[in-house]
Amino acid sequence: MSYAAPQPPTECDLLVVGSGAGALSAAVTAAELGLRVIVAEKDPQFGGTTAWSGGWMWIPRNPLARQAGLIEDIDQPLSYLRHELGDKFDESRARTFLENGPRMVEFFQRKTALQFIDGNVIPDFHGRTPDAATGGRSICAAPFDAAQLGARLHELKPPLHETTLWGMGIASGAELRHFLNASSKPASFWYVTKRVLRHGKDLLLKRRGTRSVNGNALVAALAKSAFDRGVEIRVNSPARRLLRAAGRVTGAVLQTPDGEVTIHARRGVLLATGGFPHDPARKAQLLPHAPTGQEHWSAANRGNSGDGLRLGESAGGRVADDLVQAAALAPVSLVPRADGSVAHFPHLIERAKPGLIAVTARGQRFTNEADSYHDFMQGLLAATPQGEKPEAWLVVDHAFIRYYGLGAVKPFPLPLGPWLKNGYLKRGRTLAELAQACGIQATALQATVERYNAMALQGRDQDFAKGETPYNRIQGDAIRAQAAGLKNPCMRPLAQGPFYAVKVVMGSLGTFAGLKVNDQAQVLDAQGQPIPGLYAGGNDLSSMMSGHYPSGGITLGPAMTFGFIAAHHAAGVDPATQAG
């Protein structure tokens, strides 16, 4: 189905600035509630960082968990957040999220093209915290046929190329396992063959893949739902300034290829432009490890340069500066591209797999490699002496890289040569050779690997307790560990060369510090009062986790939920009345 471009209106009910999950959740919800909605996207394609993401959402007590018999009272996730956030815990905001998250999921399930798959076996990050769950709090967008976008297909931002296979997104879980086993198991070989053939057909006929998974599926399904409801998504249309009248935000001026366009929004404006991961000035202000704003390589969308925060401040809003951590930290490797540009690859999956260690240039491990990306980087920051760069090397052996790959390097049968040639991947026949290639202290690296190998055979990491929490274990690979006679799904000796390494630097999946808001996602002024007609969403809204990272999906879950809440507030409708 194709969509005819409507004539550009100058008036609407709600103007949404940005087009990630938080923005599109608000846009679709508002349109379903009868409001006329315009979405203004700065980039040539919609989807923002969400389109590159894993697409997981932390929504405790969600309908898919309940259907599977995983029932918990609101007090359990509330208690988990209370313990995790400590003195940053805001009970009112937490309750608002936990009460409305399930309503949001039910709303999209019943009324839109967006459907979900469960994460009922995915644990919270910190299994030792009271009331941490071993599953039932996560959901992801179901795979979606983006061909349904018709003529707008090519305006959907594709997944980050380096995380794909020839531009083909691969879903986590069972599908990823098929791809890893394609060379050894006939069933997996045929699964992968069918996926590759379909992708090839898409490239031939559509010039891009159409089977969207992960965050790309989330954006595609939300966009289809938006178009079905008459929402206009304008690309190449950054918001330059807000309009105000009588103390209220009443619209914005967009910069378009045809010049400035003024949009009057009767119910207000929602800012959801993705935070500040590529705003050097704001990074210098809020990220201590980036004193000039340049020492941070975010994997977030390059267009996320703090526009929404500056717009909010122009109307009297305040950006939170008291978070425990202002960004959702993640290890990132810098991937040279043929055109001379550099991609920022987030290392989210392989660190917990058996046969990998992370070391600093001193040749020493510094943290539990199987912990969350955020915790991994906190460990690196803590281990880095003042004045030195927080950098590390992910070190593996030949068997590891040929089965799992490493960062942007794909597993067998794809070649290693191009990555060795462009310098992204380092190799040594021995650990000493690898250390020399990387600038790592060779004697220390040898000693670290010997100690690690002995612990791996015992099945217990005496240094960092790797593999001892449910999250560690599910991120590992119990099947291959058991097949090798090992006790710990996250540990295997680095046995036989050649050995390989990729450098990781300070990066993030996005930022946490955004505009201060109330429980309805209204932006607050310096006196803590809501600014009429101004809402924040996604990473422009300061994270309710206050810089903590208790579980996967704590960015997209609240983004979808508070977008849903903001739309109801703008429409003058109580979300509780929409349930059932």
Side-chain angles (χ1 to χ4, degrees), residues 353-357 395-401 404 431 448-460 466 480-482 484-499:
K353 300 296 186 279
L356 176 149
I357 62 169
V395 178
V396 303
D397 63 10
H398 190 72
F400 184 102
I401 202 168
Y404 296 110
L431 288 169
T448 295
V449 171
E450 288 176 2
R451 175 173 174 77
Y452 184 82
N453 287 353
M455 293 191 297
L457 291 174
Q458 296 169 1
R460 183 161 177 241
K466 186 176 183 177
R480 285 182 68 83
Q482 289 170 5
L486 300 169
K487 302 173 185 176
N488 191 321
C490 302
M491 296 182 74
R492 175 181 65 75
L494 280 69
Q496 193 154 0
F499 299 94

Side-chain angles (χ1 to χ4, degrees), residues 276-326:
F276 65 94
H278 297 288
D279 177 2
R282 191 83 65 177
K283 286 191 291 183
Q285 176 188 354
L286 296 177
L287 299 178
H289 63 267
T292 71
Q294 304 296 333
E295 303 87 350
H296 184 89
W297 292 266
S298 181
N301 177 45
R302 301 296 176 92
N304 297 3
S305 54
D307 299 348
L309 304 190
R310 290 188 292 274
L311 287 168
E313 288 174 324
S314 75
R318 294 291 182 269
V319 173
D321 58 3
D322 59 347
L323 275 59
V324 173
Q325 175 55 249

